[in-house]
Amino acid sequence: MVRSVTDDQFGAPGTATPQVRQFIGGARVASASGRTFETSDPWTGQPIARVAAGDADDTRAAVDAAHEAFTTWSRASPHERQGIFLRAADGVDRRREGIVSLLARETGCTRHFAEVQLDFAASLLRQSAALPYAALGQVLPSDQPGTHAVAMRRPVGVVGAIAPWNAALTLSGRAIAAPLALGNTVVLKPSEESPLSGGALWAEVFEEAGLPPGVLNVVTHAPGEAGSVGDELVANPLVRRINFTGSTTTGRRLAEAAGRHLKRLLLQLGGQNPLLVLAGVDLDYAVNAAAYGAFVHQGQVCMCARRIYVERAIADEFSARFAAKVSTLPMGDPSDPRTVIGPVINKWALSTITRRVEEAVERGARVLAGGVAQPPCYPATVLTDVPDDIELAFDETFGPVVVLEVVEDRDEAVQRANASSFGLTASVLAADSVQALAVARRLNAGIIHVNDQPVGDEPQMPFGGTKDSGWGRFGVGSAFEEFTELQWVTTRDDERTFPF
Ligand code: ADP
């Protein structure tokens, strides 16, 4: 019997390290090469499981299984598809405590952010359950007498889904839920950092909910070996769409390869998200909003505030209060419900954050809070006077570091906010919404929050960025556009005359 990855005893200290296989064609399979890798807890460093290390061969097998399952699944009744999604939502709800614990152990996720992910996932599945019954097209007027024309939405076939580790449950969830609900079949490649919460768990939930074999397949791989799986998904002609959430570097690489194969991609990439704090704002509110927006999930969310621009009139007071609050955020074991700042995902991430902060300080930045690694954590850190030409200023640093800069007025705030190659989210905090909205309208980002911080998502919202933050939109409301093909169909009720 396959032990549930959300079981109390799964990989518990003192027990044998469990083996987790891939999920291909409805079966739990070892990798074709027989290789495995260990996934470990970022807080304790202890192994959690040994996982199949798949590669291009496994991916090909998964794509073949998905292709074979497509005809039947795409014709399954709306009733059958809806039932599976409703049962999957119940399955997620039933595993709630187990998933909180798995997310903490596998990704260093605190209870708060696990709850955010769980609420999103259950809602995503229940909203996706409505998709099989959504109208599939339009009747179009034609100037040809006797011609009836319609535009009809049809599933595309096999969808490749590549997801990151940071919100493993929700980001793998949104990569597969709407595509499946619309009648596609899927090959999911979770991150090497979250093969359980971003992969095996979804296989388990959907299998239990009655999803037929081959409709969802999960291919896992060892660290550093994502390329062989990704390249196969992009090049395999049976894969008709790819959706990707992750770094801009990887997204660019995939887009280049997809261009060669003329394959459509949905890309949700990094952000360097600005938060504007305007004079007159309620300072307590602004400080709390900024602290949450910059440091939820220890800053490892693509939407996190990375740059705070504060108007000079309130800069001293805001900076002092903000730094004071940030310095007190509790750090430590992510399974302790009081913890706000858990461990960062791995040593590589910790060293990148450390190096970037050190470089900023060498170049004249001042540390207002944090600034020294406490492995496996990095404390919530606020820097100011950061030169524009260093990585911390212009690139996404995936961790608990925010840059706070004083601006003369809102024009300068807007100009600096827009002076970025990214355009994912942006936020404006001001005394009233009208004032804030006027400023927000000038910002170039896919998502703008007025009088709120930049981290937030709901399954039905059009989620995505501009510029180097990506193309296309996740969200149940955008799913038809992203995961179906529009087909123009005409029928005639009599014979027409031809000129020759
Ligand atoms: P992050 O920094 O958020 O982990 P990555 O872009 O490295 O961003 O990872 C996001 C996802 O992309 C993960 O599933 C990872 O395994 C995958 N990935 C990394 N490199 C490649 C690649 N060359 N091709 C396809 N997927 C990749």
Side-chain angles (χ1 to χ4, degrees), residues 162-166 189-192 221 226-231 244-251 253-254 348 398:
I162 303 178
W165 60 268
N166 61 317
K189 191 208 82 58
S191 166
E192 55 273 47
H221 62 85
S228 66
V229 178
D231 291 350
F244 172 78
T245 305
S247 66
T248 295
T249 307
T250 307
R253 200 189 141 172
L254 284 170
W348 180 84
F398 218 60

Side-chain angles (χ1 to χ4, degrees), residues 442-483:
R442 297 163 61 195
L443 296 172
N444 187 356
I447 302 163
I448 306 275
H449 295 296
V450 169
N451 280 338
D452 202 347
Q453 50 71 43
V455 181
D457 192 14
E458 296 178 55
Q460 73 277 19
M461 300 301 178
F463 192 100
T466 61
K467 304 193 277 184
D468 286 357
S469 294
W471 303 329
R473 294 292 178 265
F474 276 105
V476 174
S478 312
F480 273 100
E481 171 56 28
E482 302 291 349
F483 302 116

Side-chain angles (χ1 to χ4, degrees), residues 207-249:
E207 184 185 37
E208 180 189 274
L211 194 73
V215 176
L216 171 66
N217 305 274
V218 179
V219 177
T220 47
H221 62 85
E225 298 182 7
S228 66
V229 178
D231 291 350
E232 177 63 28
L233 287 176
V234 173
N236 192 312
L238 297 177
V239 177
R240 298 315 315 148
R241 292 279 162 93
I242 307 259
N243 71 71
F244 172 78
T245 305
S247 66
T248 295
T249 307

Side-chain angles (χ1 to χ4, degrees), residues 406-435:
V406 181
V407 290
E408 292 310 319
D409 54 25
R410 46 206 65 184
D411 287 342
E412 188 189 349
V414 169
Q415 181 266 322
R416 294 198 66 177
N418 285 339
S420 167
S421 58
F422 294 98
L424 186 58
T425 69
S427 278
V428 181
L429 303 176
D432 65 75
S433 318
V434 176
Q435 216 187 14

Side-chain angles (χ1 to χ4, degrees), residues 103 106 126 155 191 205 215 226 228 254 276 295 304 316-317 328 370 391 396 423:
L103 286 168
E106 192 179 36
R126 294 198 170 94
S191 166
V205 164
V215 176
S228 66
L254 284 170
L276 280 52
F295 299 116
C304 276
D316 286 348
E317 196 172 351
T328 63
E391 282 174 320
E396 179 181 53

